[in-house]
Amino acid sequence: MATLGTPGSTIEILKKYGFHFQKKYGQNFLVDPHILEKITAVSGITKDDFVLEIGPGIGTMTQYLAENAREVAAVEIDKALIPILADTLSSYNNVTVIHQDILKLDIRKLVEQRNGGRPVKVVANLPYYITTPIIMGLLESHVPLESITVMVQKEVADRMQVGPGTKDYGALSLAVQYYAKPEVMIQVAPACFMPRPGVGSTVIRLTCHEKPPVKAEDEELMFALIRASFNQRRKTLVNGIGNAQNLSFAKADVLSALEQMGLPPAVRGEELTLEQFARLSDYLYLLT
Ligand code: SAM
């Protein structure tokens, strides 16, 4: 049985260890057992699963994960939390705590060593200051992943799941949708955390595709074009790509590609679907 997850049990641990929250690490600990149970349920973990948790804090969600998964590896950056985790997780023999910055950890190697390279499930109440680098790092490094179930700032969840023509649509939406199917699962109020964050939170599940829904000859080029198109949001796609430092396409070439695709010369990046970015990338790839 999980012993953590309420305000009372959290305060007890914080007092016992004289722990002070570090704002720079995005520390907002969950103190609502219903939310913890829901996250565990929607993550779909079973006793067959190897789970990677990012930022276990004092080990609250880790306890729920340990009870439902075969094995949990929890990566925590804050040194002050390591002895606390040794205490709160002492009754679980299927949890390993790794004291590391998740952005510096070789996750592929970890998954290779600990799960024989088979796909893992990621579950986390993420530190919001590095949500995008964590998600992009996981997706782009081609770590074998089945799903990523994460608590993120509400606005970021919105950006991950929208399509063309909306204000939230951008490079993050396209990257997430290239690698996974995003589904919003739970809305979480600030009162469910200690301390309370100044923003609303959402649990989103990304179910990773076995094969991307579109095929581009050169994936890297496609993402470079996507980033360039959204770098200068109010500019046309032709100007965005033409002005990008890391790309060397003439505006005339981009215009000709758009014409072949039946798109107007003044089209903006936010109007193109993932499929259209893949086609654009294939036209321009022929010129590289
Ligand atoms: N999982 C706990 C919970 O739900 O109560 C804590 C979640 S809290 C939002 C984010 C956690 O991520 C904190 O424990 C913080 O110290 C940790 N963290 C922040 N930056 C990190 C990084 N770069 N690598 C690993 N952990 C990090």
Side-chain angles (χ1 to χ4, degrees), residues 18-31:
F19 178 80
H20 297 287
F21 291 105
Q22 297 240 41
K23 218 174 168 179
K24 69 168 178 183
Y25 288 145
Q27 291 176 341
N28 300 95
F29 297 167
L30 270 167
V31 290

Side-chain angles (χ1 to χ4, degrees), residues 5 10 19 21-31 36 39 53-62 65 74-79 81 85 98-105 123-130 134 151 192-194:
T10 303
F19 178 80
F21 291 105
Q22 297 240 41
K23 218 174 168 179
K24 69 168 178 183
Y25 288 145
Q27 291 176 341
N28 300 95
F29 297 167
L30 270 167
V31 290
L36 286 152
I39 298 174
E53 187 192 8
I54 298 161
I58 60 168
T60 307
M61 195 154 74
T62 324
L65 299 174
V75 182
E76 175 56 59
I77 197 171
D78 187 351
K79 197 170 153 209
L81 288 166
L85 288 162
I98 301 168
H99 177 213
Q100 249 288 19
D101 177 346
I102 189 67
L103 297 177
K104 296 196 181 132
L105 183 73
V123 187
N125 171 16
L126 286 180
Y128 293 171
Y129 74 107
I130 43 169
I134 291 177
M151 176 95 70
C192 301
F193 300 86
M194 186 182 293

Side-chain angles (χ1 to χ4, degrees), residues 145-172:
L145 292 173
E146 211 171 312
S147 61
I148 305 175
T149 306
V150 278
M151 176 95 70
V152 297
Q153 192 175 329
K154 184 185 176 305
E155 287 71 21
V156 178
D158 292 343
R159 275 164 44 205
M160 288 185 194
Q161 53 142 15
V162 292
T166 55
K167 72 168 175 32
D168 292 328
Y169 186 60
L172 182 66

